[in-house]
Amino acid sequence: DSEESENEEYIDRRAILLPAIASVVDALGGFEGGVYRLGDECYGCLKDLKKYWRKDDTDDERTVARIFWETRVLSNDLVPILLETAGKGLVEDKRAVACADLMTAMTWPIDLAEELKELDEVEDKGTDYTQLLLSHLNYKAALLRPGVMEALFSIMLPCLAKDTKERKERDVQIINVILYLIRNLAF
């Protein structure tokens, strides 16, 4: 039965990805005495999470998105890392930019009509989008906490302050990431 083998494939994929992603999330850092402490390899971990996120490009079940939701990585780690690093000394903290980039990817609008149409074209596997839609609502609430927007603007403003002639491609990318994130929150 093809439905059964696809379900097993999802379980296998999940069984492989969950421990790997969970260990990366654990290495990001954590709260000690009410203060978020960044892990030694925080930036590398953020880059790894972005690589994992890209695995969902070919996964109709969005396994990585579901694991990210279960680990609560956005509210428990990405927001605190952003608040800890954005605008604190270094004009462009790579960790803050990496957090914003992941947040933008994680809040990208789900076109439910398009997703359901694609499922009709293939055999309907009964993919449940309820959890993914719920995760988006929670992500938006987490990003609207006090300080988050200011932190995002503190990443973008130095790039915007540059004259268009002296702006590098990286500056334009940072501006776009933050603007897309704001668009995602409004969507």
Side-chain angles (χ1 to χ4, degrees), residues 134-148:
L134 175 70
S135 70
H136 273 211
L137 291 174
N138 282 277
Y139 293 160
K140 289 176 182 185
L143 293 172
L144 294 174
R145 290 191 345 219
V148 176

Side-chain angles (χ1 to χ4, degrees), residues 4-100:
E4 207 172 280
S5 71
E6 285 172 359
N7 194 27
E8 284 173 21
E9 185 181 309
Y10 169 72
I11 291 167
D12 290 347
R13 184 179 182 88
R14 182 180 162 67
I16 293 165
L17 289 172
L18 180 62
I21 291 171
S23 72
V24 172
V25 169
D26 288 343
L28 284 170
F31 283 95
E32 286 177 21
V35 178
Y36 193 90
R37 302 268 182 235
L38 302 177
D40 294 337
E41 297 296 322
C42 183
Y43 180 61
C45 292
L46 291 167
K47 289 188 342 188
D48 289 347
L49 288 177
K50 183 67 180 195
K51 287 176 192 163
Y52 280 120
W53 185 262
R54 288 191 188 108
K55 291 187 180 302
D56 269 2
D57 292 348
T58 57
D59 180 8
D60 291 337
E61 287 297 320
R62 306 281 312 270
T63 308
V64 174
R66 293 172 192 282
I67 294 170
F68 277 22
W69 166 240
E70 289 165 28
T71 61
R72 302 297 192 261
V73 67
L74 189 135
S75 55
N76 292 346
D77 295 287
L78 298 183
V79 169
I81 293 168
L82 177 76
L83 294 173
E84 203 58 44
T85 58
K88 304 273 167 68
L90 294 171
V91 173
E92 181 198 308
D93 192 307
K94 288 179 183 177
R95 296 166 299 186
V97 173
C99 283

Side-chain angles (χ1 to χ4, degrees), residues 72-166:
R72 302 297 192 261
V73 67
L74 189 135
S75 55
N76 292 346
D77 295 287
L78 298 183
V79 169
I81 293 168
L82 177 76
L83 294 173
E84 203 58 44
T85 58
K88 304 273 167 68
L90 294 171
V91 173
E92 181 198 308
D93 192 307
K94 288 179 183 177
R95 296 166 299 186
V97 173
C99 283
D101 187 32
L102 261 169
M103 291 169 168
T104 301
M106 292 171 72
T107 57
W108 204 264
I110 298 170
D111 184 349
L112 208 52
E114 188 60 34
E115 297 284 346
L116 294 173
K117 193 176 119 192
E118 282 178 24
L119 281 178
D120 278 348
E121 289 168 8
V122 214
E123 282 181 43
D124 185 8
K125 290 190 273 189
T127 301
D128 180 19
Y129 287 95
T130 315
Q131 184 186 43
L132 295 173
L133 293 170
L134 175 70
S135 70
H136 273 211
L137 291 174
N138 282 277
Y139 293 160
K140 289 176 182 185
L143 293 172
L144 294 174
R145 290 191 345 219
V148 176
M149 280 296 142
E150 293 90 328
L152 292 169
F153 284 122
S154 74
I155 297 169
M156 184 172 68
L157 288 177
C159 302
L160 280 173
K162 293 178 183 175
D163 186 80
T164 50
K165 291 180 192 88
E166 63 182 62

